[in-house]
Amino acid sequence: MESEASATRGAAAPRGRGAAPRGRGPAPHGPGAAPQRGRLNRAVKESLRDVGTQLSQLNNSVGSRLDLKATDLGCLDLISRYGPISPSALAKRAGLHPATMTGVRDRLERAGWIERGRDPGDRRGVVVQVARGRGAEILRLYLVDSGMNTAMDEILAGYDDEELELLIGFLRRIADAGRAAAEKLAGSEDPPGLTPAAAPGRPGRR
């Protein structure tokens, strides 16, 4: 039984040690290559959608524990990663209208999550950053209490360094593509027949 289990685990492993990383080189040619490539492309896109869904559920769970709306939690994460950051730069990274960002910032400050300070590069400017000690509270929920950190470490242990470099490059390119797509939609004109106040995805323009 143990040998059968070991064989099953070996068959399900993400790769063989020493094998060339997948995804490098030209797409395969020949009979059946195009349908196979199409299936693989669809599988990758579907997997990314599933990742987005599951991470959204994790965000919702963390937000519920902290009594934060999804948008507020997302902005708080950006502040923790890029702060101190100006309100305008934060709004751009979050893809939010400045008026909407003002409300988010005010809620986070009233709840004690962030604090304001003077921009060292512009004494008239303001920057925001995560309040001292509060960032650790969020990280504990994401990485420790949820078990996500341990799960990721176990998954990453199944890949060698070269494969991890490949995955990092892939995920960064996907993130860049998602950022460009969001900016394209945010900068597009209102659909015909919709006034600015009625256009979807335009908070703060009422």
Side-chain angles (χ1 to χ4, degrees), residues 26-197:
H29 298 285
Q36 171 68 2
R37 184 72 176 194
R39 285 193 294 271
L40 291 174
N41 286 348
R42 288 192 296 272
V44 169
K45 293 174 183 177
E46 186 63 30
S47 295
L48 288 172
R49 291 180 66 184
D50 193 32
V51 168
T53 298
Q54 301 309 319
L55 290 180
S56 179
Q57 291 181 7
L58 176 59
N59 289 340
N60 290 338
S61 297
V62 171
S64 296
R65 290 283 193 97
L66 301 175
D67 194 25
L68 288 173
K69 297 180 179 180
T71 301
D72 296 4
L73 179 61
C75 289
L76 184 58
D77 178 58
L78 290 173
I79 294 170
S80 69
R81 292 166 61 191
Y82 301 106
I85 185 172
S86 70
S88 59
L90 177 60
K92 184 176 180 180
R93 283 192 175 275
L96 296 175
H97 190 279
T100 303
M101 179 54 66
T102 298
V104 171
R105 199 173 69 245
D106 288 345
R107 288 194 297 271
L108 290 175
E109 189 171 19
R110 283 197 303 269
W113 287 105
I114 64 172
E115 52 193 19
R116 305 189 193 199
R118 289 296 178 188
D119 187 342
D122 180 4
R123 297 293 297 176
R124 295 172 298 178
V126 174
V127 294
V128 293
Q129 61 188 14
V130 176
R132 187 181 301 274
R134 300 308 298 270
E137 187 176 347
I138 303 171
L139 287 176
R140 188 184 69 250
L141 284 173
Y142 271 112
L143 302 181
V144 180
D145 294 0
S146 69
M148 188 64 173
N149 195 50
T150 299
M152 287 193 297
D153 285 344
E154 291 175 351
I155 294 169
L156 295 176
Y159 297 85
D160 60 30
D161 290 353
E162 191 174 7
E163 289 168 328
L164 289 178
E165 291 287 353
L166 180 64
L167 289 172
I168 291 169
F170 170 76
L171 292 173
R172 284 178 175 168
R173 293 179 67 185
I174 292 296
D176 288 342
R179 188 176 301 109
E183 291 175 352
K184 181 178 180 180
L185 288 178
S188 63
E189 295 295 328
D190 295 327
L194 287 179
T195 64

